[in-house]
Amino acid sequence: NLHAATLAQSYPFDEQTSAFAGDVIGDLSQFPKRLSPKYFYDAAGSELFEQITVLPEYYPTRTELGILRSRGDEIASIVPRGAALVEFGAGATTKVRLLLERCDFGGYVPVDISGDFLTAQAGGLRKDFPELGVYPVAADFTAPFALPAEIEGMPKVGFFPGSTLGNFEPHEARAFLRSAREILGEGAQMIIGVDLEKNERVLYDAYNDAAGVTARFNLNVLVRINRELGGNFDVSAFMHRSVYNRERHRIEMHLIAKKAQTVRILGRNFSFRPGESIHTESSYKYSLDRFTALARDSGWSVRESWTDHDRMFSVHALAA
Ligand code: AVI
């Protein structure tokens, strides 16, 4: 990260903030402007996301939970006894609990960039599953990391729920799946949740909820830039917009400048024309065929796929 290195000479940032600063400067210097969706999830953003997951319009979370519940026994039947469960990204523990309750795991390894979050999460699970070894790893799961020595020799099962894969560009999704295969090793399995392409109105509403929570979630990244990087975004001068891009099978979230303005961040000026957009997130929606092809391209085969009755969401068991 070129900008991060230059910035580090003038600003006393820790490693994470320095990477954030470098990405923000680089991405807002592009045309069209963009920001990475991974920066949504500070404490306020993670809380807003939790609120999104229970919105009436936001179907993915409750649909995936429904599949994990109703197909739990089938999913459990593919998990070898005493396997280690490696979760890529650690959010609410509701989903992983469904697996832990039904399967006989020898260890659980949540992997997340936020160490604080991991500690809190691990504490709750240790209490409720006293027999289970919980070995958190604080790492960016999109890059290679080492598995803890405690799970050596156990069969490995990856877990990547929530259609987080959909927030990766297709080349990033392939890179992630390849890297996960590398980390988990020969003979591993992976349980992954993937959102499906569907009626555009349903997709539109899911990212334009009536209560405006998604708008606040989107705008929060500007609040975070102001707080952590000393930016001077006038957050009220931007508005949330989500649109479905049919050709690319993705919902796009944008922040639109309501008027011409210049924003100053870390000694640099960024000018906006009225109506100019910052592309903050893409959420790709897959067909079963397109996901199967993506998995194959990345060294996995699809062993089993489960969907809900209305084919809104899918959960897949992959084999390395
Ligand atoms: C985390 N991720 C899968 C969510 C999604 O649906 O793409 C993030 C989100 N963005 C807007 N609403 C929810």
Side-chain angles (χ1 to χ4, degrees):
N1 187 328
L2 210 79
H3 293 283
T6 322
L7 288 160
Q9 294 166 4
S10 332
Y11 299 94
F13 290 143
D14 61 35
E15 206 180 309
Q16 275 186 37
T17 311
S18 170
F20 179 36
D23 284 345
V24 167
I25 300 300
D27 288 350
L28 292 182
S29 305
Q30 310 274 324
F31 187 81
K33 293 182 173 65
R34 58 182 193 215
L35 287 170
S36 166
K38 70 178 173 201
Y39 296 118
F40 283 139
Y41 303 92
D42 62 354
S46 300
E47 169 55 34
L48 285 164
F49 180 67
E50 289 310 313
Q51 290 179 29
I52 288 175
T53 63
V54 293
L55 288 170
E57 297 95 333
Y58 194 76
Y59 62 86
T61 312
R62 80 176 62 86
T63 311
E64 183 180 42
L65 279 168
I67 298 170
L68 293 175
R69 277 198 193 98
S70 63
R71 305 304 197 111
D73 293 341
E74 285 172 63
I75 297 170
S77 73
I78 67 136
V79 172
R81 263 190 109 78
L85 184 65
V86 179
E87 182 169 6
F88 296 90
T93 57
T94 326
K95 291 170 194 170
V96 77
R97 280 168 186 273
L98 289 175
L99 295 187
L100 295 175
E101 278 159 13
R102 287 174 173 81
C103 311
D104 176 27
F105 284 111
Y108 171 55
V109 180
V111 184
D112 199 270
I113 189 98
S114 160
D116 293 349
F117 205 86
L118 278 173
T119 313
Q121 201 216 38
L125 286 172
R126 284 199 185 100
K127 199 172 124 260
D128 296 340
F129 300 89
E131 306 286 293
L132 183 74
V134 182
Y135 315 106
V137 173
D140 175 355
F141 64 78
T142 62
F145 61 88
L147 291 176
E150 289 91 338
I151 64 162
E152 223 179 279
M154 297 180 190
K156 311 288 186 293
V157 180
F159 187 41
F160 196 44
S163 202
T164 306
L165 191 79
N167 295 132
F168 297 159
E169 290 301 315
H171 74 276
E172 295 170 328
R174 271 191 291 274
F176 166 74
L177 288 172
R178 284 201 190 112
S179 148
R181 194 190 171 286
E182 199 66 30
I183 290 164
L184 298 171
E186 200 60 48
Q189 327 235 22
M190 176 101 153
I191 297 163
I192 181 165
V194 180
D195 197 11
L196 298 176
E197 211 160 17
K198 60 183 62 63
N199 178 294
E200 289 180 24
R201 183 76 219 181
V202 174
L203 285 172
Y204 179 86
D205 288 347
Y207 293 83
N208 290 282
D209 64 287
V213 184
T214 309
R216 265 183 280 144
F217 173 71
N218 197 3
L219 287 160
N220 177 61
V221 72
L222 304 183
V223 179
R224 181 174 186 185
I225 291 172
N226 286 350
R227 187 185 59 247
E228 289 186 24
L229 307 179
N232 70 349
F233 271 108
D234 172 2
V235 177
S236 71
F238 284 82
M239 64 181 205
H240 163 74
R241 178 174 295 160
S242 287
V243 287
Y244 188 59
N245 182 329
R246 193 179 308 159
E247 266 140 61
R248 301 176 100 160
H249 315 282
R250 69 187 197 196
I251 282 274
E252 296 175 2
M253 292 216 303
H254 297 266
L255 290 168
I256 308 291
K258 293 184 191 166
K259 55 175 195 207
Q261 55 196 294
T262 298
V263 177
R264 199 164 169 79
I265 307 163
L266 302 172
R268 288 151 176 85
N269 290 326
F270 300 93
S271 294
F272 290 83
R273 291 174 292 116
E276 189 174 344
S277 134
I278 310 173
H279 182 184
T280 51
E281 184 187 68
S282 292
S283 193
Y284 282 84
K285 307 303 170 188
Y286 287 90
S287 66
L288 293 177
D289 284 349
R290 269 189 288 113
F291 176 70
T292 302
L294 179 83
R296 278 214 200 104
D297 275 3
S298 319
W300 294 92
S301 61
V302 178
R303 200 170 150 182
E304 203 124 18
S305 299
W306 298 278
T307 67
D308 54 298
H309 192 261
D310 302 316
R311 296 202 154 225
M312 301 274 268
F313 200 93
S314 59
V315 174
H316 307 262
L318 309 182

